[in-house]
Amino acid sequence: MLVHFVVETLPVRRLVDRRGAFLQAAELVRYGFKGAYQRDSLAVDAIVAFLEQYVADERALLQDDHECREALFAILDVFVRAGWERARRLTYGLDDIFR
């Protein structure tokens, strides 16, 4: 799926445009939803790893930028609703960054 190939480029884009890469991830997940991207194990692996990096390294961006925070919740919601345990675990761990 084309969406996944673009998702795989996001970690590199993050080096140049942290905010833009994150918001693009949300757009890709929204777009990929139509083709059931969220049901693909490669998708959850790539997206959750990407989100984990942001939670670890870009905490301030997620705390201070309302649009990025909403994008984070939207992305996780898609993968949690698809039943992915890995996304659910990440959701439960978000308490730490919003304290």
Side-chain angles (χ1 to χ4, degrees), residues 14-82:
R14 177 179 164 233
L15 299 173
V16 179
D17 181 9
R18 300 175 306 129
R19 185 176 190 275
F22 195 81
L23 295 176
Q24 184 178 24
E27 283 299 314
L28 288 165
V29 169
R30 275 192 285 276
Y31 179 77
F33 186 82
K34 298 172 191 171
Y37 179 63
Q38 71 280 6
R39 300 205 185 281
D40 187 331
S41 63
L42 290 175
V44 75
D45 289 343
I47 292 292
V48 171
F50 181 75
L51 295 179
E52 288 170 341
Q53 283 296 306
Y54 268 84
V55 169
D57 301 338
E58 308 292 349
R59 188 171 287 205
L61 179 68
L62 298 174
Q63 289 171 330
D64 300 338
D65 188 311
H66 177 73
E67 192 174 3
C68 286
R69 191 169 48 253
E70 291 298 317
L72 171 65
F73 297 145
I75 293 168
L76 285 171
D77 186 55
V78 166
F79 285 95
V80 167
R81 286 178 187 253

